[in-house]
Amino acid sequence: MLVSGKHPAMNESSAVPEQKNEVRAFWDSAPCGTRYLEGREDFEAHARSRYALEPHIADFAGFQSARGLRVLEIGIGMGADYLEWLKAGAQATGIDLSAQSLERARRRCEIAGYHSDLRVADAEDLPFAGDTFDVVYSYGVMHHSPDTQKCVHEAWRVLKPGGQARIMLYHHPSLTGAMLWLRYGMFRGKSLRKCVYDHLESPGTKTYSRAEALSLMRGFRDVQMRLVFSPGDLLLHQPSARFQSAPYRIAWKIHPRRLIRKFGQNLGLFLLITATKNA
């Protein structure tokens, strides 16, 4: 299995502009978590599935300690976490590249009885002044952007001195990446990373080792990382639309979940990063 080698996007500044349009189109066509909606506006079903698959989110985000804080969420998707910020009493602003995702998020907040502050914006060029937010939160988003390093720098810029970034990036190597390699790379000479880059969610999805993630966070202090192996790591989640054919359904039924639970702890997909901007 090819698990090392040059990162597919190590020279991120050379990424073609069209990639960002492809990312936007992907999430416009299928906002994150759509497969868990039991109806177009059954946001409760979506939230139940999200927090069952990734039960670490609430603790990582720190919703319950956010009352009165100015929070920016980068990449809100359909707004499950964004609504939790509002419920907790935060002054929360949310952005996303996908207008369709934002439409769902606004409706979600409206149904729940909350006013939302949401806007279409690019994580690589945030439309906010420096030193504005107490918390910048981004869960599973920045690795989809062509220039992830610029996203992290923008998060640092808009944080107040002493403010905290809470960022989840996809980890390398992971069980998810290995499964994609078995499907797309084993007989085609593709590395594990290239398989993730081409086939995990939107085009150009990157993954990071701990050392690479630490490099991304330069400029922050008190950088802490935690690798999580959760029910979402190919254990309980539903396959996406591209994996619905009969062979995939059979593979999903015989998937060795018990062995994976026992031996997969170091192959989690979710790398949770917290870091503080210098005061």
Side-chain angles (χ1 to χ4, degrees):
M1 184 187 304
L2 300 175
V3 297
S4 58
K6 186 177 180 180
H7 198 294
M10 199 64 74
N11 184 16
E12 292 181 319
S13 63
S14 65
V16 294
E18 288 79 5
Q19 183 181 338
K20 198 169 292 184
N21 292 330
E22 292 174 358
V23 171
R24 179 188 293 107
F26 179 92
W27 295 113
D28 273 344
S29 66
C32 187
T34 301
R35 75 187 85 165
Y36 298 109
L37 290 171
E38 295 176 9
R40 179 175 173 81
E41 294 189 346
D42 190 356
F43 298 115
E44 289 295 328
H46 170 249
R48 284 194 302 270
S49 295
R50 177 174 177 79
Y51 299 128
L53 292 172
E54 298 170 56
H56 52 271
I57 288 178
D59 179 63
F60 172 62
F63 298 127
Q64 295 309 310
S65 60
R67 178 168 295 278
L69 296 182
R70 290 209 64 184
V71 175
L72 172 64
E73 181 172 350
I74 296 175
I76 67 166
M78 288 197 295
D81 294 354
Y82 179 77
L83 182 57
E84 293 303 311
W85 292 116
L86 296 182
K87 289 179 178 179
Q91 301 174 49
T93 299
I95 71 155
D96 204 287
L97 197 62
S98 164
Q100 293 299 318
S101 296
L102 286 171
E103 180 184 345
R104 300 281 189 100
R106 286 192 185 96
R107 180 59 179 158
R108 177 185 220 127
C109 294
E110 180 182 326
I111 290 172
Y114 288 88
H115 173 73
S116 60
D117 178 15
L118 305 176
R119 63 193 76 182
V120 174
D122 185 345
E124 296 179 14
D125 187 18
L126 296 174
F128 308 106
D131 303 344
T132 297
F133 297 96
D134 299 293
V135 174
V136 172
Y137 172 75
S138 183
Y139 190 87
V141 175
M142 292 183 179
H143 47 236
H144 295 302
S145 193
D147 194 338
T148 300
Q149 181 67 77
K150 192 171 182 181
C151 296
V152 173
H153 180 267
E154 279 291 274
W156 179 90
R157 182 183 65 80
V158 301
L159 272 171
K160 296 176 181 177
Q164 191 174 69
R166 302 167 192 169
I167 299 168
M168 186 276 273
L169 296 175
Y170 283 163
H171 174 250
H172 172 81
S174 69
L175 176 65
T176 299
M179 293 299 180
L180 289 171
W181 178 81
L182 287 172
R183 169 63 179 85
Y184 296 106
M186 183 166 57
F187 300 113
R188 303 179 186 180
K190 279 188 177 184
S191 70
L192 185 151
R193 265 189 163 141
K194 189 65 167 66
C195 291
V196 170
Y197 191 81
D198 290 340
H199 301 289
L200 180 58
E201 301 174 335
S202 60
T205 299
K206 300 182 291 296
T207 53
Y208 294 89
S209 67
R210 289 174 182 266
E212 290 163 348
L214 184 62
S215 178
L216 284 176
M217 302 304 295
R218 58 186 178 271
F220 286 90
R221 63 177 174 84
D222 300 332
V223 180
Q224 299 180 32
M225 299 185 192
R226 178 163 67 100
L227 178 62
V228 172
F229 186 81
S230 83
D233 283 286
L234 296 181
L235 294 174
L236 299 181
H237 79 285
Q238 299 175 20
S240 63
R242 72 175 73 173
F243 299 110
Q244 292 295 327
S245 64
Y248 287 125
R249 290 174 183 270
I250 294 171
W252 205 252
K253 287 183 179 180
I254 64 175
H255 192 53
R257 291 173 176 81
R258 186 172 297 179
L259 289 175
I260 289 170
R261 286 182 189 276
K262 185 174 182 179
F263 298 109
Q265 298 302 312
N266 292 323
L267 295 174
L269 185 61
F270 311 116
L271 186 60
L272 311 182
I273 306 167
T274 59
T276 303
K277 181 175 179 177
N278 286 327

